[in-house]
Amino acid sequence: MIRLKDVTAGYKGVEVIKNINIVFKKGSITSIIGKNGSGKTTLLKTASKLLKPYSGDIFLNDESIYNIPGKQMAKKISFLPQIRNIPNISVYNLVIHGRFPYLGFPRIPRDEDKAKVEHALEKLEVKRFRDKNVAELSGGQRQKVYIAMILAQDTEYIFLDEPTTFLDINHHLEILEIIKELKNMGKAVIMVLHDLNSALSYSDKICIMDRGELVAYGSPQAVYSSGEIERIFNVKCDKVYIEGKSQSQYVFSI
Amino acid sequence: MKAIDTLQRSYTRKFLIKNTASYNIFVIASLAFILLFFIALSISVGSSSIPLAKTFSVLFGEDVVSKEFQIISYVRIPRTLAAVLAGCALSMSGLILQTVLNNSLAGPSIIGVNSGAGLFTTLIIALFPAYFAFMPIAAFIGALLATLLVYFIAKTTGASRLTIVLAGAAVSSFIGAMTDTILTVWPDTAISRTSFVIGGLSGVTMDALRLPGILIFVSFMAAMIFSYDMNVLSLGDETARSLGLNVARYRFLFIVLSSLFAGSAISFAGLLGFIGLIVPHASRFIVGYDNRMLVPVTSLLGSVFALVCDILARTLFAPYEVPVGIIMSFLGGPFFIFLLLNHRRRLISD
């Protein structure tokens, strides 16, 4: 598990998140929600060691992540940023970058690495694009290819920053189903989501951020019942059951 | 800026499919063959032309006394070697800068690398003429300081692609003013200055090539070894870091390498502009974006380009010689425009 203890972090001396205490467990999906500028991405980056906190510590199985060297960390924790360079390389070459933490000099992939890449390409159904340039793919296809890279990286903890933003509804749901599968593989997925309905229906835990503070944390049902969503987002939230569907949905109105 | 981005993308769109192992081997073998051809040509042509048969008899040690032997050993070979080294080094410097700064407009002459190296070499000429042999080291330090300064400015202001180019222009102009001040105070240095600014390969001796040659060779090996890390770095800082790459350390390493390349070349060839900008682009046109291929291809292509320019510089107006830097700009400018125009339709549609 990953445990944040009294973590305060930010940029250029400004505290963006304050005194965060939270635990992310394997085999679960945690969604971080909150208004723009509430510190969601900062929390994600701090927890995945991309941003050094001003105070507090982060533990991976009781070991401070600051004692774990970069490549060892990259075998445990992966992070998919929202804004990325679009590289001019083939899909296969991008996905095989996921094996970078496992490569020694002279960076030649072993059979095991290639097998993991093939598996990831198959799992995400992007095998037919393998020789295509990443820059040529649609937004949804590109997102799947990046998740294939994360899958090839084969980490226990996966941090995703808005993995479904800008995607059409079909790709949006497809990505969420893939994330569910990652959880079923025993991985922990921690993500920032803007779509509250998706967050509430797909997650095991919801974490609400407001002005840099963690204001609610718990199961979707508990968070829904607490009324915090309505308070923070200033909307009315209703849970609806649709006949023939096992999953309940959430609708929002002003 | 967007146009160049699109241009880069269209290279691979067109050529990625070709990029199989056999295609790569074919490209490298062809370039190596072309390079050998031009090396032979470069040794045999010049103000006094030496027949190829004679050239080979000298090269294979059969002739060690004739006038041709003297010309080949003391003029042609150093000069040819200088062109090969300078072409390779400046192109590599450009390739590395473009990759690690994630900026297709980067090149040693644009980012301020050249001016930094220029200032430090001028300082050596003016203040410590006795330490002439340390020119490559001075040029390297100058190049490194200028690059780091530009990188630092761009980073603190929020590193957009344009910022780096503008910061480079500002730093270049400032450093240029410092160089000019030195020239005003020590007018004696001005003579070597003119040929230095335009860039040229005439009068290069083997002695002047020894240290730069070693530095370029070592840097090239390092670039080969770390070419895959360069690929990872070009995914963007956050992705690279989450893949376990120490981004700050590697970026610094690559900036050092790029400065070593540029500084070494500038110390004996002067400020050859443009080659560092266009050769990496031409190489991407041929092999796509994988730095594992780009490093060898850019080196070979850079050497070939510099050799061709130098041969033209020596023969076009023989017995007069044109500085090679001028030929490079004459050939390189239109070539770059051709690359842009060739993709005109795509640029508009994108």
Side-chain angles (χ1 to χ4, degrees):
Chain A
M1 64 175 181
I2 292 179
R3 182 162 60 92
L4 277 73
K5 189 172 172 285
D6 302 326
V7 170
T8 297
Y11 306 92
K12 293 181 180 170
V14 180
E15 293 180 359
V16 180
I17 55 171
K18 294 159 213 147
N19 284 319
I20 304 287
N21 287 286
I22 195 170
V23 171
F24 303 119
K25 285 190 179 140
K26 285 205 279 185
S28 72
I29 298 174
T30 309
S31 289
I32 304 168
I33 59 175
K35 288 198 289 195
N36 291 330
S38 58
K40 305 183 294 290
T41 299
T42 309
L43 173 60
L44 215 57
K45 285 186 184 171
T46 314
S48 54
K49 206 188 168 180
L50 285 178
L51 188 67
K52 204 171 162 52
Y54 296 137
S55 62
D57 207 347
I58 299 144
F59 299 94
L60 173 67
N61 303 330
D62 295 324
E63 191 184 0
S64 168
I65 59 170
Y66 290 94
N67 297 332
I68 306 173
K71 284 213 164 180
Q72 289 305 317
M73 268 291 286
K75 290 177 187 172
K76 298 279 181 199
I77 295 177
S78 51
F79 174 80
L80 190 60
Q82 189 201 357
I83 301 161
R84 304 175 292 252
N85 294 350
I86 299 170
N88 264 290
I89 52 176
S90 69
V91 166
Y92 183 84
N93 278 339
L94 177 70
V95 176
I96 207 163
H97 278 136
R99 298 305 294 169
F100 181 73
Y102 300 87
L103 302 180
F105 275 114
R107 313 286 193 224
I108 292 169
R110 301 154 302 162
D111 287 344
E112 188 196 336
D113 300 311
K114 288 178 185 162
K116 292 264 186 197
V117 171
E118 291 302 329
H119 172 252
L121 289 171
E122 231 162 78
K123 193 98 192 158
L124 273 294
E125 295 170 357
V126 288
K127 218 166 182 170
R128 64 207 148 104
F129 305 133
R130 60 183 296 146
D131 294 323
K132 244 186 154 181
N133 189 345
V134 175
E136 279 179 65
L137 302 177
S138 75
Q141 292 165 344
R142 204 178 293 150
Q143 193 68 352
K144 282 168 78 174
V145 168
Y146 269 100
I147 293 181
M149 181 180 93
I150 295 283
L151 189 61
Q153 197 178 340
D154 196 18
T155 58
E156 291 167 348
Y157 300 88
I158 299 171
F159 290 87
L160 306 170
D161 194 359
E162 300 192 29
T164 61
T165 303
F166 304 127
L167 300 187
D168 58 53
I169 185 69
N170 179 277
H171 278 113
H172 175 105
L173 292 173
E174 209 180 344
I175 296 287
L176 288 170
E177 287 300 324
I178 292 162
I179 288 168
K180 215 162 149 184
E181 261 189 68
L182 292 174
K183 166 197 155 179
N184 293 337
M185 290 160 77
K187 298 175 186 299
V189 180
I190 301 101
M191 59 182 167
V192 169
L193 273 190
H194 265 300
D195 179 24
L196 296 180
N197 176 42
S198 301
L200 290 163
S201 12
Y202 278 88
S203 314
D204 299 292
K205 297 279 186 210
I206 298 286
C207 152
I208 307 184
M209 297 287 295
D210 186 38
R211 291 180 209 142
E213 283 173 38
L214 185 62
V215 292
Y217 174 71
S219 68
Q221 178 60 41
V223 169
Y224 167 70
S225 312
S226 73
E228 283 293 333
I229 295 178
E230 298 187 325
R231 188 180 69 82
I232 301 289
F233 290 94
N234 202 14
V235 291
K236 204 169 146 27
C237 172
D238 292 297
K239 190 174 184 179
V240 294
Y241 297 92
I242 298 165
E243 243 187 285
K245 300 261 184 198
S246 57
Q247 233 170 18
S248 47
Q249 299 284 316
Y250 297 82
V251 288
F252 301 87
S253 51
I254 292 182
Chain B
M1 207 73 63
K2 183 159 188 291
I4 296 217
D5 254 8
T6 319
L7 169 65
Q8 290 199 332
R9 243 162 241 159
S10 52
Y11 292 163
T12 12
R13 214 171 282 175
K14 220 169 175 178
F15 291 92
L16 196 68
I17 299 130
K18 281 190 198 170
N19 231 356
T20 57
S22 50
Y23 173 76
N24 287 345
I25 293 167
F26 169 75
V27 167
I28 291 188
S30 316
L31 280 174
F33 180 78
I34 295 169
L35 179 62
L36 285 177
F37 171 77
F38 280 112
I39 287 175
L41 193 66
S42 167
I43 292 173
S44 72
V45 303
S47 45
S48 71
S49 193
I50 301 169
L52 269 178
K54 188 79 190 162
T55 309
F56 281 113
S57 77
V58 171
L59 285 181
F60 293 114
E62 289 161 16
D63 175 355
V64 288
V65 283
S66 65
K67 189 181 93 209
E68 285 86 355
F69 168 78
Q70 303 281 336
I71 295 175
I72 288 176
S73 315
Y74 297 111
V75 180
R76 300 275 169 84
I77 289 182
R79 183 158 190 167
T80 303
L81 194 59
V84 169
L85 286 173
C88 159
L90 290 169
S91 309
M92 279 303 300
S93 176
L95 172 71
I96 294 173
L97 283 177
Q98 286 170 12
T99 309
V100 303
L101 300 180
N102 183 28
N103 192 328
S104 47
L105 289 178
S109 51
I110 291 164
I111 289 298
V113 178
N114 278 5
S115 60
L119 172 66
F120 274 60
T121 40
T122 314
L123 272 175
I124 287 270
I125 299 170
L127 301 179
F128 312 103
Y131 295 97
F132 198 74
F134 292 102
M135 280 251 291
I137 307 284
F140 158 66
I141 295 170
L144 182 64
L145 289 179
T147 318
L148 288 177
L149 182 62
V150 170
Y151 177 63
F152 178 75
I153 295 170
K155 205 181 165 195
T156 32
T157 53
S160 82
R161 293 174 172 213
L162 196 60
T163 325
I164 280 196
V165 176
L166 292 176
V171 168
S172 285
S173 138
F174 181 74
I175 295 177
M178 286 165 79
T179 312
D180 288 337
T181 310
I182 296 172
L183 293 177
T184 319
V185 183
W186 285 275
D188 290 354
T189 52
I191 303 153
S192 11
R193 169 75 186 167
T194 317
S195 65
F196 183 77
V197 171
I198 303 172
L201 298 166
S202 61
V204 174
T205 60
M206 277 309 233
D207 274 346
L209 289 179
R210 196 162 294 128
L211 182 56
I214 294 168
L215 292 177
I216 290 169
F217 179 75
V218 171
S219 308
F220 175 76
M221 294 313 287
M224 281 298 283
I225 290 170
F226 293 110
S227 57
Y228 193 77
D229 303 68
M230 245 153 87
N231 283 353
V232 174
L233 194 60
S234 60
L235 293 177
D237 285 14
E238 287 180 342
T239 311
R241 276 175 68 187
S242 68
L243 287 169
L245 188 82
N246 188 328
V247 169
R249 189 185 297 166
Y250 272 83
R251 179 166 285 128
F252 182 73
L253 167 85
F254 288 125
I255 287 178
V256 169
L257 273 186
S258 159
S259 305
L260 267 175
F261 273 125
S264 306
I266 289 166
S267 72
F268 65 84
L271 301 179
L272 294 174
F274 224 49
I275 180 168
L277 176 69
I278 60 165
V279 172
H281 282 284
S283 307
R284 287 188 194 103
F285 191 80
I286 302 171
V287 290
Y289 272 70
D290 189 338
N291 287 296
R292 289 171 296 181
M293 272 303 287
L294 275 176
V295 169
V297 167
T298 304
S299 305
L300 286 167
L301 199 62
S303 295
V304 168
F305 182 65
L307 265 179
V308 171
C309 290
D310 189 48
I311 291 170
L312 288 174
R314 281 185 279 152
T315 51
L316 272 184
F317 302 100
Y320 301 106
E321 195 184 312
V322 191
V324 70
I326 293 178
I327 300 284
M328 275 182 186
S329 299
F330 266 128
L331 284 183
F335 171 71
F336 200 62
I337 294 169
F338 163 77
L339 277 186
L340 286 166
L341 288 180
N342 199 22
H343 295 79
R344 183 179 64 233
R345 255 173 252 119
R346 279 212 185 89
L347 294 178
I348 294 168
S349 68
D350 280 295

